[in-house]
Amino acid sequence: MNVFKRVCQVYARYMTPFSTRVLKCDPLSIAFHPESDTPQFTSLETLETLKTASHHLLDLLQPVAFPTETVYGLGALALNPTASSRIFSTKGRPPDNPLIVHVSSFAMLRTILPADYALSPAYQALIKHFWPGALTLLFPSDPKIIPTIITANQPTVAIRMPSHPVARALIAVANAPLAAPSANSSGKPSPTRAEHVLRDLDGKVGIILDGGACGVGLESTVVDGLHEDGCIRVLRPGGITVEEIERVLREEMQDCSHIPKVLVHRRDYLDDAMEQAPTTPGMKYRHYSPSVPVNLLFTVSRPPAGLAPTPIAAFLSSLKHTDRKTSSSVRVGVLAPSDSALWDYTEPTDGLDWHPYRLGPTAEPSITAHRLFDGLLTLEREGVDLILIEEVKEEREGLAVMNRVRKAAGESTWITLG
Ligand code: TXA
Ligand code: MG
């Protein structure tokens, strides 16, 4: 290779702002001791990498992609509007969709809340049990502290403390709260591995920290406990289940005059103003959709009145008419629980080429949650023509799974097996 070409390659790799570098960070080399906000490192390399990422955030005001326990995030300085605006431009995110602010310690949390704000007993209980972790809470926002670009001019700000050692250590090393949405182009499934981020944002982000696969696999639960009626409203189901939230409130608040009710948006209540507001997670914009059509298959739930379910044989036969990328068989991606009866119908057939992705046992919805986005992104990469996702029970993590699946699916079909 000639020297000029090599110099250009090196320049492109290290000097231009958007030549993406994927840098390994070992989560097992980072520890937070219960009494300290300062991470301890056993790998110098990981510490150096976090310092490099911190330089990008603090000095260059550039976003950095990093792993959290839920999904990969695209982080930038939350208190700097120039830095935060780059999150929106990198993702193509509409400016009226507010961002979650991530903190690494309670001391950091205190610096971004209004001085006179006191945590309610319900928030104290939730924070005690679920922070650090996959729970986002809404707090009153002081616009003198939190830039309005973060809150999209709402009176509240969403905050969480991630438990992933790389996420928490990055925030601690930078010593600054980070605003971070999921690290995907707006509308796409959220990434759960560094390679998902690279495929989507290559050339658009300077650094991707690779800390391996995310444990939870879908985003945090967003909770609003600021209403005067004292109810805890779940705006977006996620990594912390509604059942866990109810249990903790029951146990921690048994001596209080009343235990707050937990209401799930769209399951337990509707709010006209909220249905219109972009601040309601995932209401206004297209979400979680890979570039191929997704069909949600209801195999247990009954169809709406007036609609008869389609027998599986007729449904399979209709799939053969799907638009395909090549002239051969239709490539059908299938996401279903590992013990689903649906697999009995995915024998090799003329005209249909199956691409299975198993979502774990029906009895383990946390595994389904962990695998859902990886499944969508894996099947998309395999070049399938369409993706079928089977419904799961809306219990525990299944509630969050179905919330994402309904938004990812452009079409729903009720089928009868057998
Ligand atoms: O697990 C997660 O939450 C990931 C990781 C990276 O932390 N982040 C994430 O961010 O999912 P994002 O931007 O993809 O989703 C945040 C959701 C949005 O749907 C937004 O509408 C909602 O939180 N949100 C943010 N601030 C809000 C506010 N003040 N009021 C109501 N909803 C808010
Ligand atoms: Mg997102």
Side-chain angles (χ1 to χ4, degrees):
M1 182 185 300
N2 77 36
V3 175
F4 177 67
K5 206 166 161 195
R6 181 77 191 126
V7 167
C8 288
Q9 273 184 357
V10 170
Y11 182 82
R13 188 155 155 65
Y14 293 106
M15 300 303 184
T16 55
F18 298 127
S19 125
T20 303
R21 285 191 286 163
V22 180
L23 305 176
K24 289 256 181 229
C25 276
D26 177 8
L28 297 176
S29 74
I30 305 167
F32 278 87
H33 297 298
E35 301 305 318
S36 164
D37 296 338
T38 313
Q40 306 294 312
F41 294 89
T42 54
S43 155
L44 249 181
E45 205 184 327
T46 293
L47 175 59
E48 285 309 315
T49 299
L50 290 180
K51 285 184 178 164
T52 305
S54 183
H55 164 68
H56 267 250
L57 292 165
L58 295 172
D59 304 320
L60 308 180
L61 303 182
Q62 291 294 347
V64 165
F66 62 95
T68 82
E69 70 281 18
T70 57
V71 299
Y72 271 72
L74 183 68
L77 296 186
L79 305 187
N80 183 307
T82 306
S84 307
S85 73
R86 292 184 173 148
I87 292 176
F88 289 86
S89 52
T90 305
K91 278 179 63 92
R93 183 181 176 102
D96 55 4
N97 197 357
L99 299 175
I100 296 174
V101 176
H102 297 65
V103 295
S104 60
S105 67
F106 294 104
M108 189 180 279
L109 171 70
R110 201 63 261 178
T111 64
I112 59 171
L113 294 179
D116 58 354
Y117 173 75
L119 293 177
S120 65
Y123 268 23
Q124 287 178 34
L126 295 176
I127 285 176
K128 177 175 155 202
H129 281 264
F130 300 121
W131 278 22
L135 180 73
T136 296
L137 296 171
L138 297 199
F139 293 91
S141 177
D142 179 347
K144 291 195 283 304
I145 304 173
I146 310 283
T148 52
I149 187 170
I150 298 293
T151 58
N153 277 311
Q154 295 300 306
T156 56
V157 55
I159 304 179
R160 84 178 187 97
M161 187 190 293
S163 63
H164 195 292
V166 173
R168 200 169 161 206
L170 175 66
I171 303 164
V173 168
N175 193 22
L178 296 183
S182 46
N184 51 283
S185 303
S186 239
K188 295 282 165 210
S190 301
T192 60
R193 299 173 188 275
E195 71 208 54
H196 298 155
V197 184
L198 183 65
R199 213 173 306 129
D200 187 2
L201 298 182
D202 192 11
K204 295 186 179 167
V205 61
I207 289 181
I208 300 170
L209 299 179
D210 181 356
C214 301
V216 176
L218 45 70
E219 302 89 341
S220 62
T221 307
V222 180
V223 160
D224 177 359
L226 298 178
H227 288 253
E228 275 184 3
D229 62 9
C231 291
I232 294 293
R233 286 173 169 76
V234 175
L235 304 186
R236 176 178 74 180
I240 302 293
T241 66
V242 172
E243 290 86 342
E244 287 173 288
I245 291 174
E246 284 170 336
R247 179 184 53 78
V248 161
L249 293 174
R250 231 178 10 248
E251 286 173 9
E252 288 287 328
M253 298 184 68
Q254 50 186 318
D255 298 333
C256 299
S257 55
H258 91 289
I259 298 171
K261 243 176 125 170
V262 179
L263 303 175
V264 179
H265 178 235
R266 295 212 123 186
R267 185 189 79 178
D268 304 325
Y269 73 101
L270 278 178
D271 174 330
D272 277 351
M274 253 178 100
E275 307 320 307
Q276 307 305 323
T279 50
T280 307
M283 284 301 295
K284 182 172 159 187
Y285 298 109
R286 202 165 156 68
H287 261 72
Y288 314 117
S289 306
S291 56
V292 283
V294 175
N295 191 340
L296 167 54
L297 292 190
F298 288 101
T299 49
V300 177
S301 303
R302 286 162 186 271
L307 195 74
T310 310
I312 181 80
F315 176 69
L316 295 181
S317 165
S318 73
L319 291 180
K320 294 179 186 165
H321 306 296
T322 308
D323 285 343
R324 63 198 80 176
K325 295 182 186 113
T326 60
S327 54
S328 55
S329 306
V330 176
R331 296 154 69 90
V332 187
V334 183
L335 290 167
S338 316
D339 47 359
S340 166
L342 199 58
W343 298 116
D344 297 344
Y345 301 90
T346 57
E347 294 294 317
T349 352
D350 268 358
L352 297 179
D353 174 14
W354 297 106
H355 290 250
Y357 187 101
R358 287 175 166 76
L359 292 173
T362 307
E364 302 277 358
S366 65
I367 300 180
T368 306
H370 172 72
R371 293 178 64 73
L372 175 70
F373 286 142
D374 188 54
L376 285 170
L377 292 164
T378 301
L379 294 175
E380 180 183 46
R381 195 196 54 211
E382 287 178 11
V384 298
D385 297 307
L386 86 156
I387 297 175
L388 307 177
I389 311 186
E390 190 183 12
E391 68 170 324
V392 297
K393 266 199 185 155
E394 298 194 51
E395 286 170 3
R396 297 187 283 153
E397 291 83 355
L399 185 68
V401 167
M402 284 302 285
N403 170 278
R404 309 307 189 267
V405 168
R406 284 179 205 279
K407 287 172 185 153
E411 204 183 333
S412 301
T413 310
W414 281 261
I415 58 171
T416 43
L417 301 175

